[in-house]
Amino acid sequence: MRRRDLIAASLAVPALATATMADAEDKPATGASLGIAGVGLPIISGGRIRNYVFVSLRLHLGGAATPESMRPKEAYLRDALVRAGHRTPFVIEDDWTRLDTAALSASLMRSAASIAGRGAVTRVEIISQAPRRRTGVRAG
């Protein structure tokens, strides 16, 4: 590529990014969400901890909730999720490498209603599940 094209492209990219950000500020925020990464939840079976699964979540916000207003409450949501995971584990009986996503979502929705207010969180999306041990942990 010619040097002249590289220089022209390096000048055009910041101007394009500024124009895109100005357009984004003019539009109302729809579909706001808050990401929660790296929450370690236990897999408990037979009264013993068999594995840990690290979960990344996305909370879809509703009502008047914004990511900026929910960020201070993130620690409380993490704490509620970890406490619920120890009290009633989100275990799939035949697999120690995954969590029950429906139970996890329902538990976090209940906790979010009491922590942030009813309607602040409309949906919980499980983005990823990464088990600590990946082999030899199947219930048998």
Side-chain angles (χ1 to χ4, degrees), residues 14-103:
L16 183 62
T18 304
T20 305
M21 288 175 54
D23 289 343
E25 290 174 1
D26 293 342
K27 297 177 185 175
T30 57
S33 63
L34 176 69
I36 298 177
V39 179
L41 297 172
I43 300 290
I44 300 173
S45 179
R48 295 180 58 200
I49 294 178
R50 304 295 182 167
N51 198 6
Y52 279 94
V53 177
F54 297 91
V55 181
S56 294
L57 309 163
R58 180 175 296 135
L59 304 179
H60 294 273
L61 307 177
T66 62
E68 291 80 22
S69 68
M70 291 294 289
R71 202 157 280 119
K73 298 173 184 165
E74 180 183 350
Y76 296 105
L77 293 168
R78 284 175 176 271
D79 182 59
L81 186 59
V82 170
R83 286 176 186 260
H86 280 85
R87 187 173 40 246
T88 54
F90 310 117
V91 177
I92 297 175
E93 288 302 319
D94 60 341
D95 192 358
W96 293 348
T97 61
R98 293 183 299 131
L99 296 171
D100 184 4
T101 58

Side-chain angles (χ1 to χ4, degrees), residues 1-16:
M1 189 174 232
R2 295 185 306 206
R3 184 180 303 169
R4 186 177 11 194
D5 294 337
L6 288 173
I7 294 170
S10 67
L11 295 175
V13 170
L16 183 62

